[in-house]
Amino acid sequence: MTVSYTLEVADARFAGFSKLLFRWKGSIYKLLYKEFIVFCLLYSVISIVYRCSLNETQQKMFEKTALYCEQFSNFIPMSFVLGFYVTQAFNRWWGQYTSFPLPDNLMMVVSGNVHGVDERGRLLRRTLMRYANLSSVLILRSISTRVRRRFPTLDHITQAGFMTEKEQKHLDHLYSDFNKYWMPLTWFSNLAAQAREEGRVKDDIALRLLMDELNKYRAKCSMLFHYDWISIPLVYTQVVTVAVYSYFAFCLIGRQFLNPKKEYSGHSLDMYVPVFTLLQFFFYAGWLKVGELIINPFGEDDDDFETNQLIDRNIQVSMLAVDDMHQNLPLLEKDKYWVEKSFPLNYTSADEALKPAFMGSTYDMRLIGEEPSDANIQSSAVSRYLPVNVWPPSTLKRRNRGVKLLCCIGKESNEEVKVDEEAHCKTPVQIHILDCDVQFAQEGEGIGQTYAEEQDAKLDTTTA
């Protein structure tokens, strides 16, 4: 099964990836440990032979060979060749993922344009979607080892219900040297034309829509077939493999720790274990393994595509869409906010509710000394608390962001009344917003206007 760790990296935090390093399934350790063990054993054998089995003359010859290998091994352009190869393999992997045939668009068009609640209409819709799913099963069976193991013969596909025995005979009797995954799609187009003649498809525009979605579905099936047929050129794969393995073959000799007493350049320390050489092998050989893993995602590796589950999902969803859900609508009724002018949606977190709406990075920007030209400055927090009555402001001042307190001051008293989501101002009020984007201050006498009255009178107001 595909290894998913999306939830664990939903939030960036200190050492957020550290937990992922201890996973085994789908990990680079599982993919590379055999090659890593072989490399360590070979290095150890060569080191033991050099230290214990060679005489002085042979050691001297080995040391010259080691110095030579270390000097010229960097001539192998491993990083460039390997990096470009893995990039191409990843682009190919993503292209195969996006080319997977999903029947969602096609089933929506079939459900909405092939009419009839009788048995004939139901039969037409189910048969059309069965043909589409049969085509994807045939193409996946020819490129995926998992699907091939599940459906080794056409009889197994018939037993699974993707086609009838008569349809299997038609498929067998048509001779072709090439893959016949396109035949069910041809049946689909002919059956759609027949439904148009019967009046099940109301007009030619609906038929055209059916054929357009069918062609998109067929194009994805065809693209998967061509991805399987046309691989990354073999010579490039061979060059990359030879470059990586030859480089580390020379490292087995060139990275040996030589006798410090002989004072060779760069060999003044004898550590026995080549830590950085092992890390380099882990990174580069692991990089090559990544390319080997993603070059064909239709195998049976941990992170290969779950083709069998996708087949099960597609046939179930498509049949539900065109059969059980066809003309099966819930009763129409007024929504919760039918009489409201806005949607005061609930938040489980108070911090999220008090965040001002983003109006653009330059929304509040103005030159020094310039008066604001936009009188309709809005704040999502204020509009939730004061939907009706506001007083026109006479001063505008930038403050720190974030709403901390909202107060109403009655016209006939100076008593401050805190307003929450349940409370509203009954009389025209003076508004103070502390630690918010703007601060409103009322000067002089006057009576507040409602928003509708302000529009009619075209007053110069600021609506919060």
Side-chain angles (χ1 to χ4, degrees), residues 36 39-40 43-44 47 51 255-257 269-279:
F36 190 81
F39 182 81
C40 293
Y43 186 92
S44 301
S47 179
R51 297 171 186 274
R255 299 294 178 85
Q256 292 288 337
F257 290 101
L269 184 64
D270 190 359
M271 294 183 62
Y272 296 97
V273 178
V275 177
F276 291 99
T277 300
L278 295 180
L279 287 175

Side-chain angles (χ1 to χ4, degrees), residues 31 36 71 103 119 156 170 178 228 250 256 274 304 316 387 409:
L31 203 61
F36 190 81
Q71 180 181 0
E119 184 176 353
H156 292 82
H170 277 78
F178 303 99
D228 186 68
F250 288 120
Q256 292 288 337
D304 284 342
Q316 184 184 70
I409 302 178

Side-chain angles (χ1 to χ4, degrees), residues 14-288:
F14 176 73
F17 282 173
S18 59
K19 292 182 179 179
L20 303 179
L21 298 178
F22 300 100
R23 287 194 171 194
W24 174 253
K25 187 175 183 180
S27 66
I28 188 61
Y29 318 121
K30 182 178 179 180
L31 203 61
L32 188 64
Y33 78 95
K34 294 180 180 179
E35 286 85 350
F36 190 81
I37 291 175
V38 170
F39 182 81
C40 293
L41 289 177
L42 291 176
Y43 186 92
S44 301
V45 169
I46 295 175
S47 179
I48 292 173
V49 170
Y50 163 67
R51 297 171 186 274
C52 303
S53 300
L54 301 182
N55 56 35
E56 185 176 351
T57 304
Q58 292 172 335
Q59 285 184 351
K60 188 174 182 180
M61 180 61 66
F62 177 84
E63 290 163 357
K64 290 182 178 180
T65 304
L67 294 173
Y68 178 82
C69 291
E70 184 179 8
Q71 180 181 0
F72 291 100
S73 62
N74 292 326
F75 286 3
I76 301 175
M78 183 178 59
S79 299
F80 171 76
V81 174
L82 184 58
F84 187 77
Y85 178 80
V86 174
T87 300
Q88 296 302 316
F90 179 80
N91 292 334
R92 177 185 174 86
W93 174 85
W94 183 253
Q96 292 178 84
Y97 170 73
T98 56
S99 297
F100 199 91
L102 297 175
D104 297 56
N105 293 341
L106 186 59
M107 72 187 185
M108 296 300 177
V109 176
V110 170
S111 180
N113 292 278
V114 181
H115 301 280
V117 294
D118 57 346
E119 184 176 353
R120 174 65 178 174
R122 181 188 179 193
L123 179 62
L124 285 173
R125 290 188 297 272
R126 290 181 65 90
T127 304
L128 288 172
M129 292 312 303
R130 185 165 55 80
Y131 286 161
N133 283 278
L134 173 60
S135 178
S136 65
V137 170
L138 291 177
I139 191 63
L140 290 173
R141 178 176 173 267
S142 62
I143 67 174
S144 173
T145 57
R146 291 183 179 181
V147 181
R148 187 72 179 191
R149 291 178 183 275
R150 182 181 180 182
F151 303 115
T153 64
L154 292 179
D155 292 334
H156 292 82
I157 299 178
T158 302
Q159 293 174 6
F162 287 96
M163 63 179 172
T164 63
E165 294 181 359
K166 292 183 179 179
E167 292 167 352
Q168 182 181 352
K169 291 180 180 179
H170 277 78
L171 195 67
D172 290 333
H173 289 169
L174 181 65
Y175 175 77
S176 177
D177 292 328
F178 303 99
N179 195 310
K180 293 186 285 186
Y181 70 91
W182 48 269
M183 280 189 62
L185 300 179
T186 307
W187 297 343
F188 184 106
S189 61
N190 293 332
L191 187 58
Q194 184 177 344
R196 173 71 182 97
E197 293 177 357
E198 296 178 5
R200 303 284 179 171
V201 179
K202 297 300 183 181
D203 49 39
D204 293 337
I205 297 177
L207 180 61
R208 173 64 183 273
L209 185 59
L210 275 171
M211 299 309 298
D212 287 344
E213 290 300 330
L214 175 67
N215 284 329
K216 293 177 183 178
Y217 189 84
R218 180 210 56 79
K220 289 191 173 183
C221 292
S222 177
M223 187 58 66
L224 282 184
F225 180 76
H226 285 285
Y227 270 121
D228 186 68
W229 186 12
I230 309 298
S231 303
I232 294 178
L234 180 61
V235 291
Y236 195 12
T237 305
Q238 291 175 339
V239 167
V240 173
T241 305
V242 171
V244 173
Y245 284 107
S246 61
Y247 177 83
F248 287 107
F250 288 120
C251 285
L252 289 174
I253 299 176
R255 299 294 178 85
Q256 292 288 337
F257 290 101
L258 304 181
N259 191 349
K261 296 180 180 180
K262 297 184 179 181
E263 298 181 349
Y264 291 112
S265 177
H267 291 272
S268 59
L269 184 64
D270 190 359
M271 294 183 62
Y272 296 97
V273 178
V275 177
F276 291 99
T277 300
L278 295 180
L279 287 175
Q280 192 177 28
F281 179 84
F282 183 82
F283 297 145
Y284 283 110
W287 206 359
L288 180 64

Side-chain angles (χ1 to χ4, degrees), residues 307-336:
T307 47
N308 283 324
Q309 289 189 8
L310 286 170
I311 288 174
D312 296 340
R313 179 261 176 197
N314 290 345
I315 187 65
Q316 184 184 70
V317 170
S318 58
M319 289 303 177
L320 287 174
V322 301
D323 191 3
D324 293 6
M325 295 188 63
H326 178 70
Q327 299 299 329
N328 185 12
L329 299 174
L331 182 65
L332 294 180
E333 54 184 336
K334 297 179 181 179
D335 60 80
K336 180 179 179 180

